[in-house]
Structures are given as C-alpha cells and as structure tokens.
Amino acid sequence: MTYNIDFLIAAMVILLLVLWYFLGQKRAEDLNNQVFLFFAIIGILDVVAELASNYYISFPNSNCEIAAMLATTIFYLLQALLPFTVICYIQTLHDNKIISAKKMFLSGVPTFILMGMILTNPFTEKLFYFDIPAGYMKGPWYMLMYYSALCHMAAALILIVIWRKKLGYQKVKSLLEILLISGAGVVIQLLYHIIRFLQQGLV
C-alpha cells in the first residue's frame, strides 16, 4: 500500500509558517494564545506521526510491527486531541482568562473516552491492527474517529452560534473559516471511505 505524502508535507510547511508567524507576532501569555500555540504544536506533531505511520504502512516489515503500532497509536491520539483543542480555544475566547476546570473536564469527557479506546487498541484491535502478510488493517470501530471529529465540530459550531455576540464578528468569522476548512477535510475522507465500502459490497 502506497500513500501520497505531498499533502502532508504541504500541511507541515503551512503549520510551521503559522507557528513562526504566531511566535513572531504574539507572546503566549494569554490563555487563548497558549491554547492556540498548543493547537499548532499538536497539529505539527500530528503530521509527523502520520508521516511515520504512513511509512510503516507503505513498507510493511514484520521486524517493525511494534514501531508501526506505536507510530499509528500516537497519530490516532493526536487526531483525537485536535478537535477537543478547538473546543478549548473557543472557550478561552469566550471566557477570557477565567475558565471553570469543571467545564473543561466535562467538555473533554468524550475525548478522554476515545483516547482510552486508542490506548487499549493494541489489545482489542477495534480501531486498527497490523497483519504480517497484509500490513495495516482497519478495525470494526475505525469510523469512530471520523464520527468523533464531526461531533466535536458540530459542538464547536453550536458554541460559536450561541456565543456569537460576545465573541464578535471577526472572531466568529475566523472560527467558522477554521471549521469549514477542517470539517470539509473530515467529510471528504468520510465519504471516500463510505463510497469504497459500498463499492466493495457491490463487488
């Protein structure tokens, strides 16, 4: 199985430029700036983990099965964490410097549950697993990653709509642009998997 990594390299360059510009313009002293910085770093690490995971998937080797499992597990963890970081960023923009720890914890419960599933996946193989002759294989709960991302984005959209007056026009516009770009990517990938599943069922 071979993957085209051109988009990942482009994403890495864009994220590094965003991080460089952000660090050059602002200090990460405000809570919302700190969360945005965390989001950018998680995004960069996510691309690095996906590049490593794709390498092991593209060139399966029985001697590298543990490394492949580790790289893919880290990639899945970062994928689960990114949408939650967007929720946190929206909350910091609304609540400024004062955020209830209880509110943050409650909003993160679904993410924590998903991360628990990812961490136990090497034993359950519900999300993915590696077969020596076939390489990377999707588990029965693989689509849960996409459903989780979409639910987080829907929650983010609801918060933006509810808090639109306090956030202000410019912040709402920027947040909606982020959701539109990231949401479009998730939907396209989800539809691609659904179409492939349907095609395989018709064969």
Side-chain angles (χ1 to χ4, degrees):
M1 186 181 295
T2 304
Y3 287 85
N4 189 329
I5 64 171
D6 294 347
F7 289 107
L8 290 177
I9 295 174
M12 174 67 78
V13 172
I14 292 171
L15 286 170
L16 287 173
L17 288 174
V18 169
L19 182 61
W20 176 77
Y21 179 79
F22 175 80
L23 292 176
Q25 296 296 320
K26 294 183 177 181
R27 296 179 180 178
E29 296 177 352
D30 294 336
L31 185 58
N32 62 321
N33 288 339
Q34 291 173 355
V35 173
F36 182 85
L37 178 62
F38 181 74
F39 175 75
I41 293 174
I42 290 295
I44 292 171
L45 294 177
D46 176 69
V47 175
V48 172
E50 187 171 5
L51 285 169
S53 176
N54 285 345
Y55 171 80
Y56 289 116
I57 292 173
S58 301
F59 305 101
N61 189 326
S62 59
N63 296 326
C64 299
E65 187 174 350
I66 295 177
M69 179 64 73
L70 180 61
T72 308
T73 299
I74 293 174
F75 168 60
Y76 271 56
L77 285 171
L78 293 171
Q79 284 279 294
L81 192 57
L82 275 171
F84 172 60
T85 310
V86 174
I87 299 289
C88 292
Y89 183 63
I90 295 172
Q91 289 181 339
T92 61
L93 290 175
H94 176 262
D95 297 346
N96 295 324
K97 297 182 179 180
I98 303 174
I99 297 182
S100 168
K102 181 179 179 181
K103 181 193 291 187
M104 295 290 287
F105 175 78
L106 290 176
S107 62
V109 168
T111 301
F112 301 147
I113 294 173
L114 180 59
M115 292 178 72
M117 293 179 181
I118 296 170
L119 290 172
T120 57
N121 180 73
F123 309 100
T124 64
E125 298 184 342
K126 293 294 186 181
L127 295 170
F128 68 91
Y129 61 93
F130 285 89
D131 183 76
I132 293 177
Y136 173 81
M137 301 294 291
K138 298 170 185 175
W141 293 357
Y142 173 78
M143 299 299 287
L144 187 63
M145 297 294 297
Y146 291 98
Y147 299 146
S148 173
L150 289 175
C151 288
H152 277 82
M153 290 177 184
L157 179 60
I158 291 172
L159 290 179
I160 293 171
V161 171
I162 294 175
W163 295 341
R164 64 187 183 280
K165 291 184 179 180
K166 187 170 183 179
L167 291 172
Y169 174 77
Q170 289 298 330
K171 290 180 180 178
V172 169
K173 180 182 176 183
S174 299
L175 290 171
L176 288 178
E177 289 174 351
I178 292 173
L179 284 183
L180 179 62
I181 294 171
S182 55
V186 174
V187 171
I188 290 171
Q189 291 185 60
L190 178 61
L191 292 175
Y192 170 76
H193 287 292
I194 292 174
I195 291 171
R196 285 200 62 183
F197 175 78
L198 293 174
Q199 288 176 340
Q200 291 172 359
L202 294 174
V203 175

